[in-house]
């Protein structure tokens, strides 16, 4: 596609439920990133994939959060036993590769509200 | 954790004026990227400046980078009401291949 696509754009879920957020990167981009943004803050890094493998998952806040990218393209961020503090915009981004000239493109985000 | 700081945190100007936003970062970088975010929307990439570059232009945007001071500035010339948004700088370090963002600057351009 033309840009990074994220679904759903909005998700309201009850505390304790399981949620999946999907990201479809720009075609041909090998690097994929997940960020989380709370109101009034800048995006915070969660996890980075290079191809199918998670190269850096140091930003995942706890073991309720997990992400996969099984075929090196689409990625799913999974949140178990959601808590109200998980409410945020979850942003996905992709880039062609890594390096000094590496432009990283973001999607529109998935707004998650846990009630 | 957030890497750098943007300055000012909020800026209000009249349409037609220039807007200057500053950003500082803490570690060595490969590049620094500026993004715009309209309320409730995703991040739009504006410009990338590499660590070996000092200045870059794109349309009404001018970005400078001073690696000795670990700082960057974004200048928007002849601002328009449509430039109203939040602006973020993000530094990219090749060692860990990820962007680290500041808290952003809220720009309001009054028509």
């Amino acid at each position: 596609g033309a840009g990074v696509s994220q679904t759903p754009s909005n998700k309201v879920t009850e505390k304790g439920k399981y949620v999946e957020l999907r990201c479809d990167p720009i075609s041909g981009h090998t690097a994929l990133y997940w960020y989380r943004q709370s109101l009034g803050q800048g995006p915070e890094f969660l996890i980075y994939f290079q191809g199918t493998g998670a190269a850096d998952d140091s930003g995942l806040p706890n073991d309720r959060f997990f992400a996969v990218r099984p075929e090196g393209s689409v990625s799913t961020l999974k949140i178990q036993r959601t808590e109200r503090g998980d409410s945020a915009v979850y942003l996905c981004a992709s880039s062609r590769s890594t390096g000094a000239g590496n432009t990283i493109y973001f999607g529109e985000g998935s707004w998650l509200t846990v009630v | 954790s957030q890497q750098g700081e943007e300055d000012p945190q909020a800026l209000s100007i009249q349409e037609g004026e220039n807007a200057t936003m500053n950003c500082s970062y803490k570690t060595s970088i490969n590049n620094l990227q500026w993004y715009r975010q309209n309320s409730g929307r995703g991040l739009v990439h504006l410009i990338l400046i590499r660590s070996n570059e000092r200045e870059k232009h794109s349309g009404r945007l001018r970005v400078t980078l001073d690696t000795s001071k670990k700082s960057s500035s974004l200048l928007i010339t002849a601002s328009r009401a449509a430039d109203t948004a939040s602006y973020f700088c993000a530094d990219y370090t090749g060692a860990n291949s990820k962007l680290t963002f500041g808290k952003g600057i809220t720009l309001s351009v009054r028509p």
Side-chain angles (χ1 to χ4, degrees), chain A residues 33 35 37 40-45 48 56 58-59 91 97-109 111, chain B residues 1-2 30-31 33 35 37 39-45 48-50 88 92 96-104:
Chain A
Y33 309 80
Y35 283 76
Q37 185 178 22
Q41 301 293 316
E44 292 190 324
F45 170 79
Y48 153 62
D56 184 351
S58 62
L91 295 162
S97 63
T98 60
N102 186 38
T103 298
I104 298 176
Y105 299 95
F106 282 78
E108 290 291 315
W111 287 76
Chain B
S1 62
Q2 313 247 269
N30 281 23
N31 66 53
Q33 305 187 36
Y35 292 84
Q37 185 176 43
S39 180
R41 305 299 299 272
L43 294 164
V44 174
H45 187 267
L48 177 154
I49 186 164
R50 299 184 190 216
F88 294 90
Y92 179 82
N96 54 22
S97 298
K98 64 190 182 190
L99 287 171
T100 305
F101 287 82
K103 291 186 177 181

Side-chain angles (χ1 to χ4, degrees), chain A residues 17-22 34 47 60 62-70 75-82 90 112:
Chain A
K17 297 289 188 183
Y18 169 81
V19 166
E20 288 191 352
L21 306 175
R22 176 189 166 106
W34 283 99
I47 187 169
L60 295 177
N62 52 59
D63 62 6
R64 295 187 298 105
F65 288 75
F66 189 71
V68 296
R69 194 185 185 200
S75 175
T76 305
L77 178 66
K78 307 180 180 193
I79 310 174
Q80 298 178 319
R81 305 183 304 279
T82 52
Y90 289 82
L112 175 66

